[in-house]
Amino acid sequence: MTSFEHVISPQVHTHGHVGPEATEYAVGKLTAALHHAPGPVLRTSLTLDAAAPGDRVDAHVDVNGIGVHVHAVGATLQEATDLMQERLRSRLRRIRRRYDAGPRALMIG
C-alpha cells in the first residue's frame, strides 16, 4: 500500500456564524481523512454552513484527478464534521479498491 503524506491545506469557506474552533476542528478531520487517499491530493475545499437549516459541512477533494464530494448535515457543526469525515473516508476506501483493481476498474468507476 502506498502512502501519500503530503496533504495540502484546504480552502475554507464559511456561511453564518462559524467560530475559529469549528473551522480548526473541520480542517483537522478533513486532513485526517485525506491520509487514506489512494493517490496525491491535488486540491481540497471545505465549506462550513451554520446558516443552513441544520449545520452543513461540504468537502470537495481532487485525488489524482478523481473528484470526490461529500456533505453532511448535523445538529451542530461538530456533528456534521464527524459525519463528513466518515463519509469521505468511506469514499476514499472505495477509490482505493478501484486503484488496487487496476486501470480498467478506474475507467468503469
Side-chain angles (χ1 to χ4, degrees):
M1 180 167 94
T2 305
S3 177
F4 295 92
E5 291 302 320
H6 179 71
V7 175
I8 60 173
S9 297
Q11 292 181 339
V12 179
H13 308 279
T14 61
H15 301 282
H17 177 69
V18 178
E21 65 284 344
T23 301
E24 185 177 323
Y25 183 77
V27 168
K29 290 291 191 168
L30 175 68
T31 302
L34 292 176
H35 287 290
H36 297 276
V41 176
L42 305 177
R43 189 170 43 96
T44 62
S45 69
L46 187 62
T47 302
L48 305 170
D49 190 349
D55 290 342
R56 179 179 169 122
V57 177
D58 289 271
H60 295 271
V61 180
D62 182 338
V63 179
N64 201 27
I66 298 173
V68 179
H69 171 244
V70 296
H71 71 271
V73 177
T76 65
L77 281 173
Q78 183 173 351
E79 181 181 318
T81 297
D82 291 341
L83 289 169
M84 175 276 303
Q85 181 190 33
E86 183 179 312
R87 290 175 182 167
L88 181 58
R89 286 174 50 183
S90 175
R91 294 283 306 275
L92 293 173
R93 280 193 294 268
R94 273 188 261 151
I95 292 170
R96 180 174 296 283
R97 285 194 300 267
R98 289 180 12 210
Y99 262 80
D100 292 345
R104 181 156 167 74
L106 285 172
M107 290 172 41
I108 295 170

